[in-house]
Amino acid sequence: MGQLSETPVTTASFTVGDAELMREAGRRLAALLRAGDLVLLTGPLGAGKTTLTRGIGEGLGVRGAVTSPTFVIARVHPPLGGGPPLVHVDAYRLAGGLDEMEDLDLDAELPESVVVVEWGEGRVEELSDERLHVVIRRPEGAEGAGEAEDEGTDAAREVTLTGVGARWQGVGLRLLG
């Protein structure tokens, strides 16, 4: 990969107070996303990755409930209108990186879709020189840390977005906070 692909061109950080605000951040992020975008989500279990993706799905106006694809690895949510489909991938159970993910045909899906990959860091960066990394951190020792996201735990989270590649140059990520 070239020099530009490894250099962040824009970053933003903000605190999200609860699960509903995480969904709202996802809805706002969806307004910035377009077909061909690769979004990598990183954070511990229960951090809010699926909740953020649910908000992205709502913002994109896709069909079907956005739930964790842990056991099916990937779900495609077709658009209800004229926007792009959402491909939601959970790479948690995949240890082999991009080689193991080839069967998912993400490289074929990417040009027409928004592809969101939970646990994707270190596994799928080769799919695109232009991508958005989203890191979600929960405070150490926060009540509910490590529990499933949908069990009502609402500790604050720190969200850091890092755009990599020309696609993200000048994109107002700070507006999401």
Side-chain angles (χ1 to χ4, degrees):
M1 285 192 245
Q3 177 85 354
L4 182 63
S5 67
E6 300 305 318
T7 305
V9 295
T10 186
T11 61
S13 293
F14 53 91
T15 301
V16 175
D18 61 31
E20 183 50 41
L21 292 173
M22 184 67 78
R23 278 175 81 162
E24 178 58 30
R27 287 188 288 269
R28 284 194 232 150
L29 177 56
L32 301 177
L33 296 174
R34 62 185 186 209
D37 284 343
L38 175 63
V39 181
L40 307 181
L41 303 181
T42 302
L45 289 171
K49 296 177 298 295
T50 299
T51 302
L52 182 74
T53 306
R54 188 171 295 123
I56 291 170
E58 291 169 3
L60 292 174
V62 299
R63 187 174 352 151
V66 175
T67 60
S68 178
T70 299
F71 297 103
V72 295
I73 309 300
R75 283 196 173 94
V76 177
H77 297 275
L80 292 171
L86 170 65
V87 178
H88 183 197
V89 179
D90 187 329
Y92 183 75
R93 304 181 74 150
L94 303 177
L98 195 58
D99 291 339
E100 195 171 339
M101 297 186 78
E102 279 184 12
D103 290 340
L104 298 177
D105 283 334
L106 292 180
D107 53 340
E109 297 277 349
L110 187 58
E112 291 89 34
S113 306
V114 170
V115 176
V116 176
V117 183
E118 296 187 30
W119 306 97
E121 188 171 29
R123 293 185 169 114
V124 298
E125 286 90 341
E126 295 173 29
L127 284 173
S128 178
D129 285 344
E130 300 179 322
R131 56 195 176 272
L132 181 64
H133 291 259
V134 180
V135 178
I136 305 170
R137 292 182 183 85
R138 294 187 79 151
E140 288 292 320
E143 185 178 328
E147 292 181 20
E149 292 179 49
D150 294 328
E151 292 184 20
T153 58
D154 275 343
R157 294 114 165 139
E158 181 70 21
V159 179
T160 303
L161 302 127
T162 304
V164 176
R167 154 70 177 103
W168 296 101
Q169 203 155 17
V171 174
L173 296 178
R174 285 183 173 76
L175 301 174
L176 298 174

